[in-house]
Amino acid sequence: MPTAQRLDHSQLPSGCKPAFTMSGASDYNAKALLTAILVFGAWYFLSIGSETAAVGSPGKTQVPQLAMLEAKNPTLNGSVPKPALTYFQGQNWESELVFVPGKLSCQHDDDAPDDVANGSLRRGIHMAKRPIILASDSCPRVQDLDAGMCVMTRGTGQMACLPSLVVLGAMKAGTAEIQGWLSQHPNMYRWGGPSDSGAGEAHLFDKLHSDEELESQWLKEYALKGFVLPRGPEDARRLYTFEKTPRYMMLDDDQIQRMKQLLPSVRLLAILRNPVSRAYSHFQHRCRQGRVFVIGNGAPPPHAGRVMTGESAASALEAAFPLGSSVTDDMVYQMAYPCTPESFDALLLTNNDGTFRSNISETVLDGGILRRGQYYMQIQRFLQYFKREQLLILLTEEMFGDFVGAIDRVQSFLELPYHNYSSRTIVNERGFTVLEGLGSKANHNPYEPMTAHIKEVLTEYYRPATARLTQYVEPERLQRYWHEVADNIDMDLDMEGDDDDDH
């Protein structure tokens, strides 16, 4: 069996050929070019000075390099040091393409190259040798695929590459913003192709109900629907695809297993927002969609004034009164956006008899708003199937406080060639850093803040889950950015025990 080294025509199985190789004269030219680059680099540093080439220093010109770059980031108020960042280490980012007949990809014999079968030549998301599988009949099968692999279809010749990164969520935590920024990287290609905003979601794994559905839908409803590269092989040498679907944070075990089957080595990104503010943002998102309703004064007491959420007035009533009631559809009104802060209190704290309770009930009919902030359980579920090093966790508040620093962490996590975003950043009227020319939700006008009372109630509600989250996120980060909900949590707690779519 061939080893995971350079493939030439004599090493390839019948019907396979590399689309890009470097040998003979091309090797000589590459070495000559590299020598010239090194000589120019030495002259540049001696004549200009190393300060202008500092990486990660705000306000300074940054020289793009494909060698390792170390970001020199200061600490945050001297309390939460930023991690040292490293980027792609190599002289050439372009992948060598190895075309593999579809039927060969379904065979497990000595004719299949090691590096094609198991993706062993992978550093970060980069693949030194990138398989391009020529689809035929029922091949390739899900079990023979992985993140970053590409498929070329018969007839149309379309080439689609499976995602190397999946942004899991959370909803209302800035996933559209990170997708927008990352899509501007010269080596990343987002679901659905170029866009002037970060909107757009794939929704594959949250819609699957069986392994058979995964097998029948991954190509047509996922790869070919959103990951077709416009220039085919030329793009496949340098572009890696990604997607974001915030509902993935709520996947059950079977659905996560299906993601693991199709994309075993995928990188995952979870963005977590203070669960208290995330819940209120989610409520206002529902309101903007026309999915928050109130029972009018014409309804019999004690139901008048009750706030509900649902796809429609009828579905909201059915959820609120499963045994039926004297309230009819014509007594229910859709609330205008933005909803009042008091209506959020009413949704979470109203009993069936019309009285108010002082805390969150386990039976609260919030339409799933609150459980999306139980991050510990969501992260724990994913890490039952994926390795910890495959997951990067960012906090929304630290991200919007230093978006360039956050995107640099993502670049380092994926081991991408360093891309300097600083030259395109501007500060909007609300004080947020955004990319010039890219649509941003940070430009939207805010709604009224939640009431102090419900903020206090939700802070206590989320405190235990936040304490458990310290198993995956440093306590200092949580305390700095999430303030009350993370203050005074027991750090020695026994651990034993969008816009985003929303349904």
Side-chain angles (χ1 to χ4, degrees), residues 231-245:
R231 297 183 296 178
E234 183 179 350
D235 284 339
R237 293 189 180 98
R238 64 181 184 85
L239 292 181
Y240 287 79
T241 61
F242 73 101
E243 66 126 317
K244 70 103 177 172
T245 303

Side-chain angles (χ1 to χ4, degrees), residues 278-296:
R278 196 221 67 84
Y280 186 53
S281 177
H282 193 163
F283 169 72
Q284 292 291 355
H285 174 73
R286 291 267 182 92
C287 185
R288 185 169 59 250
Q289 291 180 321
R291 296 168 58 196
V292 177
F293 304 91
V294 62
I295 300 176

Side-chain angles (χ1 to χ4, degrees), residues 134-153:
L134 306 177
S136 62
D137 301 326
S138 59
C139 294
R141 299 169 301 188
V142 166
Q143 69 188 63
D144 302 307
L145 296 167
D146 198 0
M149 286 188 174
C150 305
V151 177
M152 179 175 282
T153 60

Side-chain angles (χ1 to χ4, degrees), residues 177-185 196 403-404 407 419-428 432-440 442-443:
E177 200 77 11
I178 203 74
Q179 174 163 267
W181 281 61
L182 195 55
S183 67
Q184 304 302 303
H185 193 287
D196 59 1
F403 221 110
V404 172
I407 201 70
H419 178 65
N420 180 15
Y421 286 84
S422 300
S423 61
R424 284 187 55 194
T425 59
I426 57 175
V427 178
N428 67 9
F432 291 112
T433 299
V434 297
L435 276 186
E436 189 173 15
L438 182 69
S440 172
N443 292 325

Side-chain angles (χ1 to χ4, degrees), residues 278-279 282-283 286 344 347 366-373 462:
R278 196 221 67 84
H282 193 163
F283 169 72
R286 291 267 182 92
F344 186 49
L347 174 68
D366 66 324
I369 290 176
L370 297 183
R371 68 189 181 96
R372 287 179 180 264
Y462 281 119

